[in-house]
Amino acid sequence: VIRSHVLRARLEYLQTHYQIREQDFLNFDALRQASQCVGRVIRSKTDYGLMIFADSRYNRHDKRSKLPKWILQFLHDQYLNLSTDMALQHVKHFLRLMAQPIDQVALQSVLLTLEEVNMMNPLPIQDTSVPGEGGAMVTESTEV
């Protein structure tokens, strides 16, 4: 039973105007929120993390297939419907692998330099004759 008046009104609106069933919207919303959570684990190309979809509903193709492609590429069949012991074995293996030192040469081949970023997205030429109008600030960090 949905207790939120706002959610109830939203669901009724979607049903009335777009023929979207309540269960379809709730499934979509749950998968959207799960995807957002996974996205918060990985913030850059040098980050790594684990997200465990422990709910058995993720074993169902109709649910799993609605996740974004960038998540689906890692959800192979051998990682589905695992026992806790098997899941822990995969976690240990992954963390051991990720704990190895970063190959800085290989890392530079996938990361863009500040100059490459600027070449891809040059700043617009601005009229500097009017002080206090527009402008942008670019900072550079060498921390890895």
Side-chain angles (χ1 to χ4, degrees), residues 9-44:
R10 182 177 295 155
L11 291 169
E12 287 174 11
Y13 177 84
L14 290 171
Q15 173 63 41
T16 304
H17 292 84
Y18 299 103
Q19 291 72 48
I20 296 175
R21 295 180 314 153
E22 178 179 312
Q23 195 58 45
D24 291 339
F25 175 77
L26 294 174
N27 283 331
F28 165 79
D29 197 47
L31 289 164
R32 180 187 58 79
Q33 289 182 29
S35 300
Q36 286 180 335
C37 289
V38 172
R40 288 185 179 100
V41 173
I42 308 297
R43 304 299 280 179
S44 77

Coordinates of all heavy atoms in Angstrom, one line a residue, residues 9-44:
A9 N -0.5 10.4 -6.4 CA -0.9 11.3 -7.4 C -0.1 11.1 -8.7 O -0.6 11.1 -9.8 CB -0.8 12.7 -6.9
R10 N 1.2 10.9 -8.6 CA 2.1 10.7 -9.7 C 1.7 9.5 -10.5 O 1.6 9.4 -11.7 CB 3.5 10.7 -9.2 CG 4.5 10.5 -10.4 CD 5.9 10.5 -9.9 NE 6.3 11.8 -9.4 CZ 7.2 12.0 -8.5 NH1 7.9 11.0 -8.0 NH2 7.4 13.2 -8.0
L11 N 1.5 8.4 -9.7 CA 1.1 7.1 -10.3 C -0.3 7.2 -11.0 O -0.4 6.7 -12.1 CB 1.0 6.0 -9.3 CG 2.4 5.6 -8.7 CD1 2.2 4.7 -7.5 CD2 3.3 4.9 -9.8
E12 N -1.2 7.9 -10.4 CA -2.5 8.1 -11.1 C -2.4 8.9 -12.4 O -3.0 8.6 -13.4 CB -3.5 8.7 -10.1 CG -4.0 7.8 -9.0 CD -4.8 8.5 -8.0 OE1 -5.3 9.7 -8.2 OE2 -5.1 7.9 -6.9
Y13 N -1.5 9.9 -12.3 CA -1.3 10.8 -13.5 C -0.7 9.9 -14.6 O -1.1 10.0 -15.8 CB -0.4 12.0 -13.1 CG 0.0 12.8 -14.3 CD1 -0.9 13.8 -14.7 CD2 1.1 12.6 -15.0 CE1 -0.6 14.6 -15.8 CE2 1.5 13.4 -16.1 CZ 0.6 14.4 -16.5 OH 0.9 15.2 -17.6
L14 N 0.3 9.1 -14.3 CA 1.0 8.3 -15.3 C 0.0 7.3 -15.9 O 0.0 7.0 -17.1 CB 2.2 7.6 -14.7 CG 3.4 8.5 -14.4 CD1 4.4 7.8 -13.6 CD2 4.0 9.1 -15.7
Q15 N -0.9 6.7 -15.1 CA -1.8 5.8 -15.6 C -2.9 6.5 -16.5 O -3.2 6.0 -17.6 CB -2.5 5.1 -14.4 CG -3.7 4.2 -14.8 CD -3.3 3.0 -15.7 OE1 -2.2 2.4 -15.4 NE2 -4.0 2.7 -16.7
T16 N -3.4 7.6 -16.0 CA -4.4 8.3 -16.8 C -3.9 8.8 -18.1 O -4.6 8.7 -19.1 CB -5.0 9.4 -15.9 OG1 -5.5 8.9 -14.7 CG2 -6.1 10.1 -16.6
H17 N -2.8 9.5 -18.1 CA -2.3 10.2 -19.3 C -1.4 9.4 -20.2 O -1.3 9.6 -21.4 CB -1.6 11.5 -18.9 CG -2.5 12.5 -18.3 ND1 -2.8 12.5 -17.0 CD2 -3.1 13.6 -18.8 CE1 -3.6 13.5 -16.7 NE2 -3.8 14.2 -17.9
Y18 N -0.7 8.4 -19.6 CA 0.3 7.6 -20.5 C 0.1 6.1 -20.4 O 0.9 5.4 -21.0 CB 1.7 8.0 -20.0 CG 2.0 9.4 -20.2 CD1 2.0 10.3 -19.1 CD2 2.3 9.9 -21.4 CE1 2.3 11.6 -19.2 CE2 2.6 11.3 -21.6 CZ 2.6 12.1 -20.5 OH 2.9 13.4 -20.7
Q19 N -0.9 5.7 -19.7 CA -1.2 4.2 -19.6 C 0.0 3.5 -19.0 O 0.2 2.3 -19.4 CB -1.7 3.6 -20.9 CG -3.1 4.1 -21.3 CD -3.1 5.5 -21.8 OE1 -2.2 5.9 -22.6 NE2 -4.0 6.3 -21.3
I20 N 0.7 4.1 -18.1 CA 1.8 3.4 -17.5 C 1.3 2.8 -16.2 O 0.8 3.5 -15.3 CB 3.0 4.4 -17.2 CG1 3.5 4.9 -18.5 CG2 4.1 3.7 -16.3 CD1 4.6 6.0 -18.3
R21 N 1.5 1.5 -16.1 CA 1.0 0.8 -14.9 C 1.8 1.1 -13.7 O 3.0 1.3 -13.8 CB 1.0 -0.7 -15.1 CG 0.0 -1.2 -16.2 CD 0.0 -2.7 -16.4 NE 1.4 -3.2 -16.5 CZ 1.7 -4.4 -16.2 NH1 0.9 -5.3 -15.8 NH2 3.0 -4.8 -16.3
E22 N 1.2 1.0 -12.5 CA 1.9 1.3 -11.3 C 3.1 0.4 -11.1 O 4.2 0.9 -10.8 CB 0.9 1.1 -10.1 CG 1.5 1.3 -8.7 CD 0.5 1.1 -7.6 OE1 -0.6 1.7 -7.7 OE2 0.8 0.4 -6.7
Q23 N 3.0 -0.9 -11.3 CA 4.1 -1.8 -11.1 C 5.2 -1.5 -12.0 O 6.4 -1.6 -11.7 CB 3.6 -3.2 -11.2 CG 4.6 -4.2 -10.7 CD 4.9 -4.0 -9.2 OE1 4.1 -3.8 -8.4 NE2 6.2 -4.0 -8.9
D24 N 4.9 -1.1 -13.3 CA 6.0 -0.8 -14.3 C 6.8 0.4 -13.8 O 8.0 0.5 -13.9 CB 5.4 -0.5 -15.6 CG 4.8 -1.8 -16.3 OD1 5.2 -2.9 -15.8 OD2 4.0 -1.7 -17.2
F25 N 6.1 1.5 -13.3 CA 6.8 2.6 -12.9 C 7.6 2.3 -11.6 O 8.7 2.8 -11.5 CB 5.8 3.8 -12.5 CG 6.5 5.0 -11.9 CD1 7.2 5.8 -12.7 CD2 6.5 5.2 -10.6 CE1 7.9 6.9 -12.2 CE2 7.1 6.2 -10.0 CZ 7.9 7.1 -10.8
L26 N 7.0 1.6 -10.7 CA 7.8 1.3 -9.5 C 9.0 0.4 -9.8 O 10.1 0.7 -9.2 CB 6.9 0.6 -8.5 CG 5.7 1.4 -7.9 CD1 4.8 0.6 -7.0 CD2 6.3 2.6 -7.2
N27 N 8.9 -0.5 -10.7 CA 10.1 -1.3 -11.1 C 11.2 -0.4 -11.8 O 12.3 -0.4 -11.5 CB 9.7 -2.4 -12.1 CG 9.1 -3.6 -11.4 OD1 9.4 -3.8 -10.3 ND2 8.2 -4.2 -12.2
F28 N 10.7 0.5 -12.7 CA 11.6 1.4 -13.3 C 12.3 2.3 -12.3 O 13.5 2.5 -12.3 CB 10.9 2.3 -14.3 CG 11.6 3.5 -14.8 CD1 12.6 3.4 -15.7 CD2 11.4 4.7 -14.2 CE1 13.4 4.5 -16.1 CE2 12.1 5.9 -14.6 CZ 13.1 5.7 -15.5
D29 N 11.5 2.8 -11.4 CA 12.1 3.7 -10.4 C 13.1 3.0 -9.5 O 14.2 3.6 -9.1 CB 11.0 4.4 -9.5 CG 11.4 5.6 -8.8 OD1 12.1 6.4 -9.4 OD2 11.1 5.7 -7.6
A30 N 12.8 1.8 -9.1 CA 13.7 1.0 -8.2 C 15.0 0.7 -9.0 O 16.1 0.9 -8.4 CB 13.1 -0.3 -7.8
L31 N 15.0 0.4 -10.3 CA 16.2 0.1 -11.1 C 16.9 1.4 -11.3 O 18.2 1.4 -11.3 CB 15.8 -0.6 -12.4 CG 15.3 -2.0 -12.2 CD1 14.6 -2.5 -13.4 CD2 16.5 -2.9 -11.8
R32 N 16.3 2.5 -11.5 CA 16.9 3.8 -11.7 C 17.7 4.1 -10.4 O 18.9 4.5 -10.5 CB 15.9 4.9 -12.0 CG 16.5 6.3 -12.2 CD 15.4 7.3 -12.3 NE 14.6 7.4 -11.1 CZ 14.9 8.0 -10.0 NH1 16.0 8.6 -9.8 NH2 14.0 8.0 -9.0
Q33 N 17.1 3.9 -9.3 CA 17.8 4.3 -8.0 C 19.0 3.3 -7.8 O 20.0 3.7 -7.3 CB 16.8 4.2 -6.8 CG 15.8 5.4 -6.9 CD 14.9 5.4 -5.7 OE1 15.2 4.9 -4.6 NE2 13.7 5.9 -5.9
A34 N 18.8 2.0 -8.1 CA 19.9 1.1 -7.9 C 21.1 1.5 -8.9 O 22.3 1.5 -8.4 CB 19.5 -0.3 -8.3
S35 N 20.8 1.9 -10.1 CA 21.8 2.3 -11.0 C 22.6 3.6 -10.5 O 23.8 3.7 -10.6 CB 21.2 2.6 -12.4 OG 20.6 1.5 -12.9
Q36 N 21.8 4.5 -9.9 CA 22.4 5.7 -9.3 C 23.4 5.3 -8.2 O 24.5 5.9 -8.1 CB 21.4 6.7 -8.9 CG 20.7 7.4 -10.0 CD 19.6 8.4 -9.4 OE1 19.1 8.2 -8.3 NE2 19.3 9.4 -10.2
C37 N 23.0 4.4 -7.4 CA 23.9 3.9 -6.3 C 25.2 3.3 -6.8 O 26.2 3.6 -6.3 CB 23.1 2.9 -5.4 SG 21.8 3.6 -4.4
V38 N 25.1 2.5 -7.9 CA 26.3 1.9 -8.5 C 27.1 3.0 -9.0 O 28.4 3.0 -8.9 CB 25.9 0.9 -9.6 CG1 27.1 0.4 -10.3 CG2 25.2 -0.3 -9.0
G39 N 26.5 4.0 -9.6 CA 27.3 5.1 -10.2 C 28.1 5.9 -9.1 O 29.1 6.5 -9.4
R40 N 27.6 5.9 -7.9 CA 28.3 6.7 -6.9 C 29.5 5.9 -6.4 O 30.4 6.5 -5.8 CB 27.3 6.9 -5.7 CG 26.3 7.9 -6.0 CD 25.4 8.3 -4.8 NE 24.4 9.3 -5.2 CZ 23.2 9.0 -5.5 NH1 22.7 7.8 -5.5 NH2 22.3 10.0 -5.9
V41 N 29.6 4.6 -6.7 CA 30.8 3.8 -6.3 C 31.9 4.2 -7.2 O 33.1 4.3 -6.8 CB 30.5 2.3 -6.3 CG1 31.7 1.5 -6.1 CG2 29.4 2.0 -5.3
I42 N 31.7 4.3 -8.5 CA 32.7 4.6 -9.5 C 32.6 6.0 -9.9 O 31.6 6.4 -10.6 CB 32.5 3.7 -10.7 CG1 32.4 2.2 -10.3 CG2 33.6 3.9 -11.7 CD1 33.6 1.7 -9.6
R43 N 33.6 6.8 -9.6 CA 33.5 8.3 -9.9 C 34.5 8.7 -11.0 O 34.4 9.7 -11.6 CB 33.7 9.1 -8.6 CG 32.7 8.8 -7.5 CD 31.3 9.1 -7.9 NE 31.1 10.5 -7.8 CZ 29.9 11.0 -8.1 NH1 28.9 10.3 -8.5 NH2 29.7 12.3 -7.9
S44 N 35.5 7.9 -11.2 CA 36.5 8.2 -12.2 C 37.1 7.0 -12.8 O 36.9 5.9 -12.3 CB 37.6 9.1 -11.6 OG 38.5 8.4 -10.9

